[in-house]
């Protein structure tokens, strides 16, 4: 969670952690088959996805690439 908070401050958009066991409907909506999953949403529509655990620098690099797409 600390990593998500620090990444949130770097990218300047909300970063939300969802427990898929607590919200299986949301997991199904976005076809989450494994965790961790990172989704970039614009207006509720998925625009990018990454699987696996990323540290802050990896997340920032993924976001920079995903945000341009």
């Amino acid at each position: 969670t600390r990593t998500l908070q620090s990444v949130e401050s770097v990218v300047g958009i909300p970063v939300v952690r969802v427990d898929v066991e607590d919200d299986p409907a949301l997991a199904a909506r976005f076809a989450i088959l494994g965790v961790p999953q990172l989704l970039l949403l614009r207006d509720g529509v998925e625009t990018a996805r990454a699987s696996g655990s990323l540290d802050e620098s990896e997340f920032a690099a993924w976001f920079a690439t995903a945000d341009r797409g």
Side-chain angles (χ1 to χ4, degrees), residues 21-41:
E21 290 182 9
D22 288 342
D23 198 341
L26 186 62
R29 175 180 170 199
F30 289 104
I32 303 299
L33 301 176
V35 291
Q37 284 284 315
L38 299 171
L39 303 177
L40 180 61
L41 304 176

Side-chain angles (χ1 to χ4, degrees), residues 3-4 7 36 38 50-63:
T3 299
L4 292 179
V7 167
L38 299 171
S51 298
S53 181
L54 304 178
D55 65 26
E56 289 178 47
S57 62
E58 292 170 325
F59 181 94
W62 170 78
F63 178 78

Side-chain angles (χ1 to χ4, degrees), residues 2-13:
R2 181 167 170 75
T3 299
L4 292 179
Q5 292 170 339
S6 57
V7 167
E8 183 176 68
S9 67
V10 170
V11 298
I13 62 171

